[in-house]
Amino acid sequence: MASEEQISAIKGAKVLMVGAGGIGCELLKTLALSGFQDIHIIDMDTIEVSNLNRQFLFRQSHVGQSKAKVARDAVLRFRPNISITPYHANVKESRFNVDFYKEFDVVLNGLDNLDARRHVNRLCLAADVPLVESGTTGFLGQVTVHLKGKTECYECQAKPAPKTYPVCTITSTPSKFVHCIVWAKDLLFAKLFGDKNLENDLNVRSSDATNLSEHSEDVFECRKGEDIEQYGRRIYDHVFGHNIEVALSNEETWKNRNKPWPIYSKDVFPDKLTKENGKTEKGSTTEDVSAMASLGLKNPQDVWSLAENSRVFYESLRLFFSKRQKEIGNLTFDKDDQLAVEFVTAAANIRASSFGIPLHSLFEAKGIAGNIVHAVATTNAIIAGLIVIEAIKVLKKDSNNYRMTYCLEHPSKKLLLMPVEPYEPNKSCYVCSETPLSLEVNTHHSKLRDFVEKIVKAKLGMNFPVIMSGASIIYEVGEDLEEDMVAIYAANLEKALSELPSPVISGTVLTVEDLQQEFSCLINIKHREEFDEEKEPDGMLLSGRVEAPVDKNSNKPIGNGESTSSALSTEEIQEGERDVEIQETSESAENVTGKKRKLSEVSKGSIPDHSGLPDESSRNQNQLEKLDVDDEDDELIISNDWESLTKKKRL
């Protein structure tokens, strides 16, 4: 039975939920059934068919509607006497500022991306409001508690960065199917359907003078009088034939590699594509904006042949130009856009055929292109329950019993739920401890735009940055700026750092702040002449952030990806939940066996022991034992003595 103190804390609490997806639906239900009376929800998404298998508050009739609003209505049907306020909006909107966050007793995150998580973390720090973070990936998940000045913040430990691939590998020497997907999605799709001014490496020019006239112009521009079939064949021949021929001309590249083979439309297409597809060239009556539907391909888990991929490539291109002409020029790849997924799958498979890489089904290709790890409804429910448990502790100010809890796929010491004590704030954290950062950059070549896009926005997660060199503002974003200032800052973006009105050179200290987040940091600039294009593609190197360590006794990092600060599982847990979107990571996540200090170690001076497992004396205390994935006797232990399971031994 809940105590009077607990009941009072729950009923009097004003709670902010961010995210109404898989975790969010479970969380809202659990909050309502636990007695919470005043709940606010922010979510910018609308309901999609793919959500229905696990986001149980939604039905087929709700597709296209606001997640936050439908979730509210669904819960009020069985808890009509509570207050639920939905916001169908982006959590980064200016109205959700520090003053807004100060209205709440606790913030509960059920987000699916790193950028939004960082934003909420900073606003909670600025408002001094407790944050309970969460994330799931398949059977894995975690819940972490963050209180300003008492525990580490969400950004105290570095999160794995998205995996990037060298441009030369993507454009010239792919060896994995993911390389073909990146090429099809980020280069070909973007060139055909995105910004027409986009520059990329697809416009390969022939060195043969006889081909100069044919390949001297932008081959991706539709020529006057050219119909869609002629255009489709020409694009096909250029990217899968001509570009491969050009690549083969560099014999040095293929000395130790298998040579690709050029593929031309005449080798795989019939003489008349429209006849083969059962359509007339004009006036098709099909209402299916899907190449698969047009071609009668029904199973997305089938692996198409080269000929089938070629037909899907042409048909999806035709449908874009005939059915979605108005969107061309502004499209970006979306994993929920069926036609886009079909085009990318077909293009990637044709390229894979050329380079001798195994082909993949549309289902597999969509997972790679959309960075999807499929969510498990049961895991979401477990994580939602753990969030509420920690929220109640926070409301009761029961800091001695706060736990960061990890849901493991394979039991360790017969535990599927592994709770550990929170860690103290990291003194090297540039967010909550205001530790200066360092940036190595070629100040003569790199423009201010590069610094803003690659560092301030991408690395530091600022949305409305103000950049100052001493007392001079060199860049600012804001709705209330005068037109002349907007023009000045726009001009500054195109200048090299050393050519700015207040030159940024080696030794300059920049102050970068985001007024909406009420967050600022210092960056020490160090000039560097050259960078390795493959290892340092940004041409800049940011340091001073805490890097996530790797377990030296293992061949792979132990971590949980982007969704928390530390880890227990020997498998990587990636951040996210909404059909969980992840990206391959190049950094490891924090190992729980590392050298951070728990709060109790700081206050009581006990000997560090971070394993958090019972019976540590039976093995090495600095390393988690390898999980036995074949153990048929694995079971969940429910214990009344969590004290002995979750606290370290003391002398």
Side-chain angles (χ1 to χ4, degrees):
M1 290 291 292
S3 66
E4 288 295 329
E5 178 188 6
Q6 183 170 309
I7 293 173
S8 176
I10 290 173
K11 288 187 175 181
K14 186 174 182 179
V15 177
L16 175 62
M17 277 179 51
V18 187
I23 292 177
C25 284
E26 292 286 353
L27 178 57
L28 182 59
K29 174 261 295 181
T30 306
L31 287 171
L33 294 177
S34 298
F36 285 84
Q37 303 288 309
D38 190 0
I39 307 168
H40 293 240
I41 319 168
I42 302 175
D43 195 302
M44 67 181 292
D45 287 342
T46 54
I47 299 162
E48 301 168 1
V49 173
S50 61
N51 301 147
L52 303 181
N53 72 322
R54 66 198 179 283
Q55 298 175 22
F56 70 99
L57 295 178
F58 309 142
R59 299 292 182 268
Q60 182 74 40
S61 60
H62 297 141
V63 171
Q65 298 181 41
S66 163
K67 285 186 176 181
K69 293 178 180 179
V70 173
R72 170 193 180 272
D73 294 341
V75 170
L76 287 181
R77 282 198 291 272
F78 60 84
R79 275 292 183 270
N81 297 322
I82 66 174
S83 173
I84 303 177
T85 306
Y87 304 88
H88 180 57
N90 190 327
V91 72
K92 294 191 287 186
E93 289 183 14
S94 58
R95 59 174 160 156
F96 304 125
N97 54 24
V98 174
D99 290 335
F100 175 82
Y101 277 75
K102 286 181 178 178
E103 298 176 11
F104 299 95
D105 298 296
V106 65
V107 176
L108 313 176
N109 264 0
L111 287 162
D112 62 0
N113 67 88
L114 176 60
D115 187 44
R117 282 183 162 111
R118 293 192 298 191
H119 182 76
V120 173
N121 175 62
R122 294 171 188 182
L123 285 168
C124 285
L125 287 171
D128 197 9
V129 175
L131 170 66
V132 182
E133 249 301 345
S134 68
T136 65
T137 297
F139 295 104
L140 307 175
Q142 67 288 312
V143 173
T144 56
V145 184
H146 307 282
L147 286 86
K148 182 178 181 179
K150 296 179 181 178
T151 71
E152 63 181 10
C153 79
Y154 176 71
E155 297 176 80
C156 270
Q157 302 302 322
K159 305 300 183 289
K163 173 71 174 179
T164 58
Y165 300 95
V167 172
C168 59
T169 299
I170 298 303
T171 59
S172 304
T173 56
S175 58
K176 301 177 182 178
F177 188 69
V178 66
H179 298 157
C180 300
I181 285 287
V182 173
W183 176 88
K185 179 179 70 166
D186 293 345
L187 296 182
L188 184 59
F189 183 90
K191 187 67 177 177
L192 286 170
F193 309 118
D195 185 355
K196 292 301 179 183
N197 296 319
L198 179 71
E199 289 294 332
N200 63 37
D201 293 317
L202 291 179
N203 259 331
V204 176
R205 302 288 192 262
S206 173
S207 57
D208 186 344
T210 60
N211 292 331
L212 187 60
S213 60
E214 181 180 351
H215 294 285
S216 61
E217 60 187 25
D218 187 347
V219 298
F220 293 93
E221 286 293 328
C222 193
R223 297 168 182 170
K224 187 176 181 180
E226 187 175 42
D227 63 30
I228 190 60
E229 179 174 331
Q230 293 171 323
Y231 178 68
R233 283 182 179 273
R234 186 163 56 80
I235 295 299
Y236 189 104
D237 289 344
H238 177 78
V239 296
F240 302 120
H242 169 73
N243 283 4
I244 301 300
E245 296 273 16
V246 173
L248 286 170
S249 66
N250 186 352
E251 296 183 1
E252 188 70 25
T253 302
W254 310 106
K255 280 187 176 181
N256 300 312
R257 293 185 176 94
N258 293 325
K259 292 183 178 181
W261 59 285
I263 304 174
Y264 289 93
S265 60
K266 61 182 176 60
D267 301 323
V268 291
F269 284 155
D271 292 337
K272 197 66 175 175
L273 283 170
T274 49
K275 181 179 180 181
E276 175 73 14
N277 290 342
K279 300 185 184 301
T280 58
E281 292 187 21
K282 296 181 181 180
S284 173
T285 59
T286 180
E287 295 300 324
D288 296 311
V289 187
S290 162
M292 286 183 64
S294 296
L295 299 172
L297 300 171
K298 297 180 180 180
N299 189 350
Q301 298 195 38
D302 286 343
V303 177
W304 302 327
S305 65
L306 174 60
E308 288 172 323
N309 276 293
S310 299
R311 290 171 60 203
V312 172
F313 176 88
Y314 168 75
E315 184 64 11
S316 56
L317 184 72
R318 187 189 72 80
L319 287 172
F320 267 118
F321 278 91
S322 62
K323 300 289 187 179
R324 299 173 60 176
Q325 178 71 42
K326 293 181 180 178
E327 299 175 62
I328 294 177
N330 298 302
L331 283 168
T332 55
F333 178 79
D334 182 348
K335 68 178 177 61
D336 295 312
D337 183 336
Q338 175 68 14
L339 192 59
V341 172
E342 291 169 344
F343 177 85
V344 166
T345 299
N349 272 328
I350 298 168
R351 186 165 174 82
S353 293
S354 182
F355 283 86
I357 299 169
L359 308 189
H360 286 60
S361 69
L362 181 135
F363 180 81
E364 294 169 320
K366 179 179 179 179
I368 297 170
N371 300 310
I372 297 171
V373 173
H374 296 284
V376 175
T378 307
T379 311
N380 290 337
I382 293 170
I383 292 301
L386 292 169
I387 293 172
V388 175
I389 290 172
E390 294 306 319
I392 293 172
K393 294 177 189 176
V394 167
L395 294 171
K396 291 172 58 181
K397 302 188 186 308
D398 187 11
S399 58
N400 290 334
N401 288 310
Y402 293 162
R403 292 291 181 272
M404 301 191 301
T405 307
Y406 301 86
C407 185
L408 310 179
E409 182 173 359
H410 304 290
S412 176
K413 291 295 183 180
K414 298 195 181 287
L415 289 173
L416 280 174
L417 296 181
M418 185 64 64
V420 298
E421 296 177 22
Y423 295 106
E424 64 169 336
N426 191 325
K427 293 179 181 179
S428 298
C429 178
Y430 73 99
V431 176
C432 65
S433 298
E434 301 179 359
T435 300
L437 300 169
S438 296
L439 179 69
E440 295 179 39
V441 59
N442 189 319
T443 57
H444 303 311
H445 295 163
S446 293
K447 296 180 179 180
L448 179 61
R449 180 183 297 281
D450 298 325
F451 175 69
V452 170
E453 296 297 329
K454 297 177 180 178
I455 301 298
V456 176
K457 292 184 177 180
K459 301 286 188 184
L460 302 183
M462 295 190 183
N463 305 307
F464 300 97
V466 178
I467 303 173
M468 300 178 67
S469 177
S472 301
I473 299 177
I474 59 177
Y475 183 73
E476 184 176 5
V477 175
E479 299 175 355
D480 56 348
L481 292 177
E482 299 290 339
E483 288 186 10
D484 58 339
M485 297 307 298
V486 172
I488 290 173
Y489 296 143
N492 282 349
L493 286 174
E494 305 308 321
K495 296 178 180 178
L497 294 174
S498 61
E499 297 172 352
L500 290 166
S502 295
V504 176
I505 57 177
S506 205
T508 300
V509 179
L510 294 178
T511 301
V512 186
E513 60 182 29
D514 188 311
L515 298 180
Q516 182 188 9
Q517 297 175 350
E518 294 194 10
F519 164 65
S520 67
C521 67
L522 300 177
I523 302 179
N524 298 312
I525 302 298
K526 181 180 179 181
H527 176 77
R528 178 173 155 191
E529 282 293 330
E530 298 180 354
F531 292 84
D532 187 313
E533 290 186 3
E534 291 197 12
K535 296 180 180 178
E536 302 161 321
D538 289 339
M540 302 179 184
L541 182 62
L542 185 68
S543 58
R545 311 172 70 196
V546 178
E547 299 302 327
V550 176
D551 179 9
K552 296 180 180 179
N553 296 317
S554 173
N555 292 326
K556 62 181 287 188
I558 296 178
N560 71 329
E562 296 179 353
S563 56
T564 192
S565 304
S566 55
L568 279 164
S569 172
T570 58
E571 300 185 26
E572 285 184 308
I573 303 175
Q574 304 289 351
E575 70 90 12
E577 175 282 322
R578 186 187 60 182
D579 234 26
V580 183
E581 296 188 15
I582 66 169
Q583 294 186 324
E584 265 191 75
T585 57
S586 57
E587 298 178 34
S588 64
E590 174 60 27
N591 179 359
V592 76
T593 64
K595 298 303 181 183
K596 300 189 295 179
R597 291 186 295 168
K598 296 179 184 177
L599 292 179
S600 59
E601 292 162 6
V602 177
S603 60
K604 299 182 180 180
S606 57
I607 296 175
D609 173 7
H610 300 295
S611 65
L613 297 175
D615 193 24
E616 294 94 343
S617 59
S618 64
R619 59 178 175 78
N620 185 344
Q621 294 183 359
N622 292 321
Q623 179 182 0
L624 288 174
E625 65 179 7
K626 186 177 179 65
L627 302 181
D628 183 2
V629 298
D630 296 321
D631 184 0
E632 296 181 353
D633 297 325
D634 288 343
E635 60 183 1
L636 174 63
I637 298 295
I638 301 176
S639 173
N640 292 323
D641 186 17
W642 283 111
E643 186 80 9
S644 64
L645 290 176
T646 65
K647 289 199 174 184
K648 55 200 159 299
K649 293 183 176 181
R650 310 188 190 282
L651 294 178

